[in-house]
Amino acid sequence: MPGPEITALLLDATAATALPRSAADQIFAAAYEELHSIAVREMRKERAGHTLQPTALLNEAYIKLVDASRVRWQNRAHFFGIAAHAMRQVLIDHARKSAAAKRGRGWKRVMITVSGLYADDHEVNAVDLELLLARLAGLHPRMARVVELRVFGGLSGAEIAFVLGVSRKTIVDDWRVATLWLRAELSGESAEDPDP
Amino acid sequence: MTPAQFARVREILLEALDLPLAERAGFVDARCAHDPALGRIATRLLAHGDPRDGSIAASDLPELPELPERLAEDLPERIGRYRVLRRLGSGGMGIVYLGLDPDLNREVAIKTLPGILSRVEPALDRFRREARILARLNHPNIATIFSLEQDGDLVFLTMEWIQGETLAVHMERGPMGLDAFLPILRQIACALEAAHGHGVIHRDLKPANVLVTREGFVKVLDFGIAKLASDPQDEDDPGPIGTPGYMSPEQIRDEPIDARADLWSFGCILHEGLAGEPAFGGAPGIRVRSSLETDYDPSRLPDGVPSALREMTRRLLARDPRERPLSAAAARRTLDEVVETQEIARVGDLSAVHLPLYLTRFIGREAESIEIRGLLDERQLVTLTGPGGCGKTRLAVEVARTLADRFPDGIRFADLASARDAGGVPRRIAFALGLDEGAVGDPRARIRALLASRKFLLILDNCEHQAAACGDLVMSLLESCPALRILATSRGPLGVDGESILRIPPLGASGRQSEEAVDLFLDRAGPFVDAKESHDAIREICRRLDGLPLAIELAATWASILSPETILGRLDRRLELPAAGSTPRAGRHRSLRATIDGSYEALAPEEKALFRALAIFRGGCTLEALETVCIPGGGSGWRALDLVRSLAAKSLLERSAGADPHGGPRYRMLETIHEYAAEKLGESGEGPAMRRAHFSYFANLFSGCDLKGAEQGRWAARFREEEENLRAAFEDDPAASSVAERAALAARLADLWILLGRWEEGRRICAGILEAIRASGPLDTAVAEDFVRVAVAGVEMARHQGELLEAETLAAEALAAAERTGDPELLAMSSNALGRILTFRGKPDEARRLFDAFLARLAQAGDPWNHANLLFNRGVALFTMERPEEATADFRECLRAMREVGDPRGIALALNALGRCFLISGELDEARRAFEESLAIKREIGDRPGIVTTLLNLGLLETDALRSLESDSDRASLRRARRGFEEALELTRTMGDRPNEARLLLSLGHAAFLAGDHDAARRRFEEGLRVPGERHGYASSVQLGLGHIALRERRLDAAREHASAALASARREKSRNVEAEALEILGAAEAASGRLESAIDYLARASRIRGEIGIIAPLWAQEQVRRLIEDLTRSMGRPAFEAAWARGRQPPPSATAPP
């Protein structure tokens, strides 16, 4: 059953402003819990070479937590904006745990599917992506957030623009540059390598 | 790299990406001439653009509508036979998908019901039953369920897929205006009314379950599903079902619920929409607690919400279900009243655009559309003419749809095809305008009054059947309504001065219009035809069909099985056939005929039979009628739906969005096709059997008709929808029914004829039946019963038409027949009828003797209702005989009996009568209690004439009880009185109740006078005098009012003049009450002029009359007189005053008329 609480928290926020801190925290907690259990389930289902689709997980969590019929797209964007971050956190925590448990069962290599980065959907190692995002955040925090919302949240341009409070054009620009940068880094050929 | 460097790289990359691939390297080099390291980074990054053109595709960041991303593994390929297109969302229990039905090529919503199979079978059974009921109900405001199916372990529903926003989304935008919200509420109430009528309860009604389409149509979703979602047997999910904040207290407590639980939820929606905040807000726990523990406070509703609506919200949200309105129908009627009250009060309330909706796209006709729009600018009447099937109706509707801005006061569509006589024309138009048909009044005059000052567009469709009647009405409408425009469709002109006739040609044989014809064919043929490949064949088909849109549409439906080339070949053969029948048909007619022939012959035998049989209906029919009458052995659920769907898909049958939402959808044929079907029916020889089945169906449909209970509104609505069918059943074919059958049906319809004012027609039918019974020889018991019932109906209708003598004779005949049966119910009925007529004919004492006799005879044997009715009628006779104490006793006893029987209308009548008795004997508190209870009941059952009477009585009570006019409580009761009068006045105007309209204007004038607003008072009086019709005692009452005003304004001569005029007519009319009041005015005027002796004389004479008749003046007037007398005593000294007073009190030598 969609939770009336989360829905209500989302509805309380007016379309134009950000969610209050406390509401965001509550949504984050609920989303984290939900995403975590979905991820565990997915991991059990797929025996080897785990590929998670963060956007799919998020959609499922959304359907479980939010009465979609009552919210508007802005509320939805708020939710996905927070849940994208929770998704990333779930993956990081898994990675940490598996490192701690040494050769724990299957957490070592979690592949996630990203769309939009290449012509087709593409699998990347979750840990690699996390390290890259951390670096990008150091260079250009907003761009890193755009990637997070896009890759983990599956948000559209307009939705990201709404969540970050900037124009859609800025988001598109960020995304274009981030795409080039990520492709370069993921290809193993860092843009910053000294000349061969 | 530092963030600053990265930011520069970002700028350079973005500029470079906008350049053609070849120019980028040069651009980067130039920009980074002073910082080659940066240039290298930028160049390397650019290399990761699209390998083909180096771009970053814009689709990488899709626009909103394409989200949420649909994920392949989430989406099953198929569910059952449906292809899954995408996920629509999640409902209370399962996921909802958008699916495609491959057979019908129709999109459906698929609602999966996971885990259902593990539940006990009865739960599923019950749900199946309800789903079937809802599917058959086929109500426009209920999302239609197509099927309940199973695919392996998965049980799912397929439903109508509707695009729209939920009411929850609407409500988030803040409080909704009444104009926008009332139609939505009404449609929700209609949906509940229909479902409850079939025993289906929603159980989880909330804004999120109400879908509103862009056109403003409402679909209530998920009927009855909530209960399935949590069956009490299910251990995982115990506890109440519903949503906190919308769930009724009984649901929260998990007690057994009935339809009234939905009424509570409806109340929550009503409040939330008007107030912009939930009725019960806060966290779920708080919501639950407050709905269980606190009384809802209607003052939370914003100002400006009409009091009737406020009161209804309060009652809907009564924690005890017994205090809620009786039914959704009652709530709907209250809404109707609110709507109608506003209708007359404010211009713009008809302003919604009500036009038929079509499922198919409108193609072409651009030139004609422009021309019509232009003509409507200049001319008041535009008539579209042309042969049947050339698309006049559709064109008129589609043009009108674009004109909402030009006609801010509204657009309405009236289909006149089913008007079978001249009187039908104004009736159909009144129906389309939503005017009430009950009560008295000429519908023509009411239509004129309603449209008089409105910028309104009226579409009159199919005028050819009653061209003369249409012409007359249109002419009179246009004369009195300058801003009205009429767009008519007809096979020929209406022949009215100033008519602008536009001939609608078939879609042309050449040029642009021939392309329109091809477009039409392609659109209707759907995906089956390759537009390019078959273009020539299609163009040729259209040419052969003379460009007649209807013929093209029919031919296009063949495209699902035949290629256009084959269709062309078949048409050729068909058109070469010699025309059937003796008269050679004109080419155009022939081509249409040929296509209808073709469509008909392509039908399966079962479809053919249904198609023929449908010709039996007039003005369309419901699905149920269609199943019962047309499908041998009765309908078998889904099968009938399939046949109907199939005929509709072939454009042979239309589902119409009827003007009356609670009747369910109706199926009808285009006129041209109906004619064809009728011909086929005639040829088949099935006509007599069908007419017999038709009669039986309608006899059966109305066999339960009973206007004594709360179902009155439903029956009236049903009657109005089936009126043409009923008339056909009575009059088309005498062999279709026996006299006894016709008599039984007439007896059932009698109350409806009376209620809806079909007196002329009802009397004609009754007279025919009575004559046939008399001619068939002596009455045996069985026939006698029918005879009495029909005769009593005839009595009532004759009385309404003022044929009192005929009524009395017939009533006596009925009583004699009843005596022969000895049946107590029949005896009570006929003695009631006779007694009432006697009272009406001024023979109340004779009536009273009759009632006395029958009350004694039937005390034991008679049924309680008829007994109570006898008491009521005797009470009326006694009241008329000025014996109020005895009348009161009868009314009291009647009230007790009616309460026992539980007849709300009877209770309300008795209460109102009792109130009248209390009022004239000065027991004001008792009177108020009786009137208020009566009014509440009448509102609930929608007894509008009754509401008017009681509002009037209540208002009179308020004004009579006023004392000083200066205290706050007096001002408040004056306001209450005025509000009541105004509401009643508006009702009389919708009903055409002239006598009460005048009475209310008089009362409003008095109220305005009491409030000190003399101008308004004079205006109201004058308005009242202008209401047509002759009324006993009216003019003298107006004179009294004007006299009071003049007195207050110190225009003493004028006051004397008005009072003298009132006095003169009062003596003529033998109204001693008016006489006394006139004398009091004269007395006051004299006193003000210093003629004290004369003043005392007048006042003393008034006092003497009042003493004689025992009717006291209103309190404020008594108070005025009392003060005047005090002043006079003071200025003259007591002894002088008393002497003068005593002289005045002496009766004059020639006594005035007895009371």
Side-chain angles (χ1 to χ4, degrees):
Chain A
M1 286 288 286
E5 299 85 349
I6 298 294
T7 311
L9 286 173
L10 290 169
L11 288 176
D12 282 344
T14 53
T17 59
L19 285 175
R21 189 72 241 163
S22 62
D25 287 347
Q26 279 185 63
I27 294 171
F28 182 88
Y32 183 95
E33 200 181 315
E34 195 58 56
L35 288 167
H36 177 81
S37 65
I38 301 171
V40 169
R41 187 197 65 204
E42 289 303 307
M43 287 297 171
R44 282 207 198 103
K45 212 158 66 181
E46 312 257 334
R47 275 187 307 278
H50 308 295
T51 305
L52 285 181
Q53 229 167 350
T55 50
L57 267 59
L58 243 68
N59 269 315
E60 187 175 337
Y62 177 67
I63 285 161
K64 285 186 175 163
L65 291 173
V66 179
D67 181 356
S69 61
R70 292 184 56 203
V71 301
R72 308 166 65 179
W73 70 266
Q74 289 93 336
N75 305 126
R76 181 187 176 280
H78 273 312
F79 177 86
F80 274 76
I82 295 167
H85 195 63
M87 184 70 240
R88 199 174 145 195
Q89 199 61 46
V90 167
L91 292 171
I92 298 168
D93 290 348
H94 278 319
R96 285 209 192 105
K97 244 186 260 165
S98 60
K102 286 185 197 157
R103 293 189 182 84
R105 290 195 301 142
W107 285 107
K108 253 190 313 202
R109 233 177 88 83
V110 178
M111 298 299 285
I112 62 172
T113 309
V114 294
S115 29
L117 203 52
Y118 297 88
D120 299 315
D121 284 358
H122 199 82
E123 288 183 8
V124 297
N125 187 318
V127 177
D128 292 348
L129 185 62
E130 176 55 36
L131 294 173
L132 283 176
L133 275 178
R135 265 178 65 206
L136 185 57
L139 290 171
H140 198 292
R142 189 184 65 216
M143 205 180 280
R145 187 83 173 110
V146 170
V147 174
E148 185 185 69
L149 291 171
R150 177 71 200 138
V151 171
F152 293 96
L155 266 65
S156 71
E159 284 172 319
I160 298 173
F162 167 75
V163 169
L164 298 184
V166 294
S167 75
R168 186 174 182 279
K169 171 158 190 333
T170 307
I171 299 301
V172 171
D173 288 346
D174 279 352
W175 176 248
R176 291 166 93 189
V177 174
T179 307
L180 293 177
W181 188 82
L182 283 171
R183 282 181 191 170
E185 294 296 333
L186 286 167
S187 71
E189 177 206 338
S190 173
E192 288 186 80
D193 280 352
D195 259 344
Chain B
M1 193 160 45
T2 65
Q5 282 174 315
F6 188 78
R8 283 227 303 287
V9 170
R10 180 180 180 278
E11 295 312 314
I12 293 166
L13 286 177
L14 288 172
E15 287 187 52
L17 283 170
D18 287 334
L19 297 172
L21 195 53
E23 294 172 33
R24 287 181 189 170
F27 169 78
V28 170
D29 286 344
R31 282 292 297 268
C32 301
H34 57 285
D35 191 347
L38 208 63
R40 274 198 300 280
I41 294 174
T43 307
R44 276 196 202 153
L45 288 174
L46 275 175
H48 286 276
D50 190 292
R52 279 160 302 176
D53 59 4
S55 71
I56 310 289
S59 66
D60 287 348
L61 275 172
E63 283 306 328
L64 269 177
E66 280 159 310
L67 282 177
E69 302 222 319
R70 261 81 56 204
L71 303 153
E73 67 261 41
D74 264 14
L75 211 58
E77 178 93 357
R78 279 173 190 285
I79 296 179
R81 64 194 173 95
Y82 306 91
R83 199 152 66 74
V84 176
L85 300 178
R86 63 190 167 93
R87 181 189 205 141
L88 292 173
S90 65
M93 46 194 309
I95 298 170
V96 185
Y97 298 100
L98 178 65
L100 184 75
D101 180 337
D103 296 348
L104 296 168
N105 196 25
R106 147 177 91 179
E107 288 183 339
V108 298
I110 300 175
K111 186 169 199 120
T112 60
L113 308 171
I116 289 287
L117 277 193
S118 64
R119 293 172 199 278
V120 277
E121 199 50 29
L124 198 54
D125 265 358
R126 188 196 47 233
F127 183 74
R128 280 209 184 93
R129 210 164 49 236
E130 291 193 354
R132 213 169 290 140
I133 291 168
L134 289 172
R136 288 173 53 103
L137 198 57
N138 210 350
H139 191 278
N141 299 123
I142 296 178
T144 308
I145 295 179
F146 293 136
S147 63
L148 177 66
E149 301 180 35
Q150 194 172 341
D151 181 5
D153 286 346
L154 185 69
V155 177
F156 61 95
L157 282 166
T158 64
M159 292 182 295
E160 185 180 3
W161 183 55
I162 309 124
Q163 270 178 307
E165 278 183 323
T166 68
L167 192 53
V169 174
H170 274 264
M171 284 177 169
E172 269 167 46
R173 298 183 194 128
M176 300 180 68
L178 269 185
D179 289 349
F181 195 38
L182 281 174
I184 293 177
L185 283 172
R186 188 179 186 283
Q187 294 179 70
I188 300 174
C190 287
L192 292 178
E193 188 179 348
H196 292 172
H198 288 75
V200 179
I201 306 170
H202 191 296
R203 301 182 182 89
D204 190 17
L205 183 65
K206 56 183 169 183
N209 273 337
V210 177
L211 206 73
V212 185
T213 69
R214 207 174 324 154
E215 295 82 19
F217 284 92
V218 166
K219 295 276 186 182
V220 178
L221 308 174
D222 289 1
F223 251 98
I225 290 179
K227 186 151 185 190
L228 188 66
S230 94
D231 194 84
Q233 306 276 350
D234 180 5
E235 285 169 12
D236 293 340
D237 184 16
I241 29 169
T243 306
Y246 300 97
M247 200 179 352
S248 63
E250 60 269 28
Q251 274 172 295
I252 295 172
R253 291 193 210 98
D254 216 4
E255 291 166 0
I257 60 158
D258 58 23
R260 290 173 297 191
D262 284 351
L263 292 184
W264 168 283
S265 310
F266 183 61
C268 294
I269 292 178
L270 178 51
H271 173 91
E272 189 166 343
L274 292 175
E277 45 148 44
F280 303 98
I286 296 173
R287 280 181 254 162
V288 166
R289 209 168 326 119
S290 57
S291 36
L292 281 178
E293 290 167 7
T294 18
D295 277 329
Y296 169 74
D297 174 9
S299 70
R300 287 167 55 206
L301 289 171
D303 296 343
V305 171
S307 56
L309 206 54
R310 207 176 272 277
E311 170 64 10
M312 183 171 80
T313 316
R314 188 189 64 72
R315 294 190 51 214
L316 286 167
L317 291 174
R319 279 178 288 156
D320 182 346
R322 284 171 303 184
E323 289 170 22
R324 292 182 209 146
L326 290 177
S327 61
R332 200 252 312 145
R333 278 194 292 271
T334 306
L335 289 173
D336 282 349
E337 259 168 46
V338 172
V339 171
E340 277 165 36
T341 307
Q342 297 199 319
E343 171 185 307
I344 299 289
R346 222 163 9 116
V347 174
D349 243 320
L350 285 169
S351 65
V353 175
H354 281 295
L355 292 169
L357 287 176
Y358 297 95
L359 297 174
T360 51
R361 218 150 57 83
F362 180 58
I363 309 276
R365 293 292 192 198
E366 278 153 35
E368 287 88 352
S369 302
I370 293 168
E371 193 167 359
I372 295 169
R373 278 195 287 269
L375 284 172
L376 281 171
D377 272 344
E378 291 158 17
R379 304 295 192 89
Q380 273 192 288
L381 170 64
V382 177
T383 306
L384 310 185
T385 65
C390 75
K392 301 181 290 288
T393 303
R394 183 74 191 264
L395 177 58
V397 168
E398 299 299 340
V399 169
R401 223 187 281 291
T402 65
L403 292 177
D405 291 344
R406 292 252 296 275
F407 296 99
D409 295 334
I411 300 177
R412 287 291 189 288
F413 177 90
D415 179 7
L416 303 179
S418 55
R420 290 176 71 211
D421 53 29
V425 173
R427 273 209 299 271
R428 302 307 303 176
I429 297 175
F431 189 54
L433 292 172
L435 280 172
D436 186 34
E437 282 192 77
V440 286
D442 176 1
R444 275 172 280 250
R446 282 158 51 218
I447 296 168
R448 275 198 302 272
L450 189 71
L451 298 179
S453 55
R454 291 176 200 261
K455 284 185 96 165
F456 197 87
L457 176 62
L458 184 61
I459 302 172
L460 302 179
D461 191 32
N462 288 319
C463 294
E464 61 271 9
H465 299 273
Q466 295 295 335
C470 282
D472 289 348
L473 181 59
V474 163
M475 194 136 49
S476 81
L477 276 178
L478 294 180
E479 272 166 17
S480 46
C481 313
L484 174 70
R485 294 286 184 275
I486 292 177
L487 180 56
T489 79
S490 177
R491 290 188 193 167
L494 298 186
V496 173
D497 288 346
E499 177 180 21
S500 178
I501 298 158
L502 184 65
R503 236 190 108 67
I504 300 305
L507 293 171
S510 63
R512 184 185 51 76
Q513 290 219 321
S514 78
E515 282 316 302
E516 285 185 354
V518 172
D519 286 348
L520 177 64
F521 184 97
L522 286 171
D523 184 75
R524 300 303 190 259
F528 304 106
V529 172
D530 183 326
K532 279 204 192 101
E533 213 168 83
S534 305
H535 186 274
D536 292 343
I538 295 170
R539 178 186 282 235
E540 190 53 24
I541 291 173
C542 298
R543 203 184 59 76
R544 298 288 163 90
L545 295 176
D546 300 310
L548 267 185
L550 177 59
I552 295 172
E553 281 193 47
L554 287 172
T557 65
W558 306 345
S560 59
I561 30 174
L562 302 175
S563 72
E565 290 74 14
T566 332
I567 294 175
L568 186 58
R570 296 204 170 198
L571 272 179
D572 275 347
R573 279 199 299 284
R574 213 167 269 294
L575 287 167
E576 278 156 20
L577 291 175
S582 52
T583 44
R585 292 169 195 283
R588 191 160 288 149
H589 196 142
R590 240 186 98 193
S591 57
L592 179 58
R593 173 80 190 188
T595 25
I596 303 182
D597 267 339
S599 282
Y600 177 70
E601 272 152 38
L603 295 177
E606 216 179 348
E607 292 171 330
K608 270 188 189 158
L610 175 60
F611 175 78
R612 284 195 303 270
L614 282 168
I616 205 75
F617 291 106
R618 311 284 173 140
C621 64
T622 61
L623 183 62
E624 187 190 74
L626 176 156
E627 283 176 339
T628 318
V629 177
C630 303
I631 297 188
S636 55
W638 310 108
R639 181 67 199 135
L641 283 172
D642 280 347
L643 286 174
V644 169
R645 235 173 253 151
S646 164
L647 288 184
K650 297 181 174 80
S651 292
L652 294 172
L653 191 62
E654 286 183 340
R655 180 181 144 155
S656 67
D660 185 16
H662 50 247
R666 293 181 72 78
Y667 296 89
R668 59 172 74 216
M669 292 169 151
L670 276 178
E671 264 313 278
T672 318
I673 293 178
H674 188 267
E675 282 163 16
Y676 179 93
E679 201 178 293
K680 286 285 162 197
L681 182 64
E683 286 166 10
S684 72
E686 296 157 342
M690 289 310 304
R691 280 192 288 274
R692 167 105 216 110
H694 179 264
F695 181 92
S696 311
Y697 172 77
F698 286 102
N700 192 36
L701 182 66
F702 283 88
S703 66
C705 176
D706 179 5
L707 297 191
K708 286 175 198 158
E711 297 287 83
Q712 202 185 77
R714 226 184 88 205
W715 286 110
R718 183 174 287 179
F719 175 85
R720 288 167 72 174
E721 287 232 292
E722 304 295 3
E723 188 161 15
E724 309 300 331
N725 275 320
L726 286 168
R727 196 173 300 150
F730 273 117
E731 296 186 339
D732 268 9
D733 179 8
S737 55
S738 69
V739 174
E741 285 170 324
R742 283 200 295 281
L745 180 55
R748 283 298 167 193
L749 294 179
D751 284 348
L752 285 165
W753 283 325
I754 293 165
L755 184 77
L756 297 177
R758 306 291 194 269
W759 304 322
E760 189 67 48
E761 183 185 349
R763 270 175 77 200
R764 190 178 68 228
I765 292 174
C766 288
I769 294 169
L770 293 174
E771 203 40 56
I773 297 179
R774 287 189 199 107
S776 66
L779 291 178
D780 62 46
T781 323
V783 183
E785 174 170 351
D786 292 333
F787 186 89
V788 173
R789 291 183 191 280
V790 176
V792 167
V795 170
E796 266 307 278
M797 289 184 278
R799 180 175 73 73
H800 275 290
Q801 293 202 309
E803 303 284 352
L804 296 187
L805 192 62
E806 181 193 319
E808 191 182 328
T809 324
L810 192 53
E813 196 184 350
L815 187 56
E819 288 285 7
R820 213 160 311 162
T821 66
D823 179 296
E825 192 197 340
L826 296 180
L827 279 169
M829 264 177 77
S830 44
S831 53
N832 262 321
L834 182 57
R836 282 167 65 84
I837 291 295
L838 289 171
T839 311
F840 261 90
R841 296 206 66 205
K843 302 189 262 188
D845 34 356
E846 236 177 273
R848 191 226 167 139
R849 276 195 299 279
L850 181 81
F851 288 132
D852 283 346
F854 277 92
L855 276 165
R857 261 180 75 186
L858 301 173
Q860 263 78 49
D863 70 308
W865 190 87
N866 272 305
H867 188 254
N869 205 14
L870 278 171
L871 284 167
F872 180 84
N873 286 326
R874 186 172 69 178
V876 175
L878 289 164
F879 193 86
T880 318
M881 294 163 74
E882 301 192 335
R883 304 172 76 148
E885 294 84 11
E886 288 162 84
T888 307
D890 273 355
F891 291 139
R892 271 188 206 281
E893 180 56 20
C894 166
L895 176 63
R896 196 196 53 72
M898 285 296 184
R899 283 199 204 276
E900 217 153 81
V901 182
D903 170 21
R905 187 152 176 266
I907 297 172
L909 272 174
L911 281 166
N912 188 58
L914 262 180
R916 288 281 303 280
C917 292
F918 292 138
L919 186 60
I920 61 162
S921 48
E923 295 165 63
L924 299 186
D925 287 342
E926 297 255 16
R928 180 193 308 278
R929 266 198 297 280
F931 288 142
E932 278 173 354
E933 193 187 340
S934 175
L935 183 62
I937 296 170
K938 285 170 170 176
R939 282 194 197 284
E940 195 153 309
I941 60 175
D943 173 8
R944 306 194 326 156
I947 292 172
V948 169
T949 336
T950 308
L951 279 173
L952 184 61
N953 285 334
L954 258 175
L956 293 175
L957 172 76
E958 299 279 5
T959 48
D960 281 2
L962 290 178
R963 213 171 265 284
S964 63
L965 304 179
E966 269 133 43
S967 70
D968 281 347
S969 74
D970 277 350
R971 274 195 290 276
S973 55
L974 197 55
R975 270 200 304 278
R976 271 201 302 279
R978 212 176 50 221
R979 267 205 304 276
F981 289 146
E982 274 165 0
E983 185 190 341
L985 177 67
E986 276 144 21
L987 279 173
T988 58
R989 286 179 173 167
T990 53
M991 295 186 304
D993 179 354
R994 293 258 172 71
N996 276 324
E997 183 182 347
R999 285 175 72 190
L1000 283 159
L1001 283 166
L1002 183 65
S1003 306
L1004 274 165
H1006 275 298
F1009 159 72
L1010 291 173
D1013 187 348
H1014 297 173
D1015 285 342
R1018 269 190 289 266
R1019 243 185 350 261
R1020 292 297 199 180
F1021 289 147
E1022 280 158 17
E1023 227 182 306
L1025 287 172
R1026 280 199 303 272
V1027 176
E1030 206 172 293
R1031 268 169 302 280
H1032 186 77
Y1034 190 79
S1036 56
S1037 301
V1038 170
Q1039 292 295 347
L1040 284 181
L1042 293 172
H1044 279 298
I1045 294 175
L1047 194 59
R1048 180 99 44 96
E1049 290 174 346
R1050 314 284 299 168
R1051 293 184 290 111
L1052 302 178
D1053 285 341
R1056 268 189 286 268
E1057 221 163 86
H1058 289 303
S1060 305
L1063 195 60
S1065 42
R1067 288 188 174 145
R1068 213 170 35 245
E1069 290 160 351
K1070 300 190 183 18
S1071 168
R1072 308 212 65 212
N1073 191 18
V1074 173
E1075 191 181 341
E1077 204 171 330
L1079 288 168
E1080 282 159 357
I1081 295 175
L1082 284 170
E1086 291 292 282
S1089 320
R1091 290 197 282 275
L1092 305 186
E1093 291 268 351
S1094 160
I1096 296 171
D1097 184 53
Y1098 280 127
L1099 291 174
R1101 274 160 63 193
S1103 156
R1104 178 173 46 77
I1105 294 174
R1106 291 210 181 276
E1108 282 167 13
I1109 59 175
I1111 297 179
I1112 43 176
L1115 280 179
W1116 61 268
Q1118 287 182 44
E1119 184 71 17
Q1120 207 167 296
V1121 171
R1122 193 183 57 75
R1123 265 197 238 149
L1124 193 53
I1125 290 174
E1126 266 176 28
D1127 288 349
L1128 287 168
T1129 319
R1130 219 175 301 125
S1131 20
M1132 290 181 73
R1134 186 164 292 276
F1137 172 84
E1138 277 175 0
W1141 183 258
R1143 276 196 301 279
R1145 286 278 298 188
Q1146 289 295 323
S1150 56
T1152 40

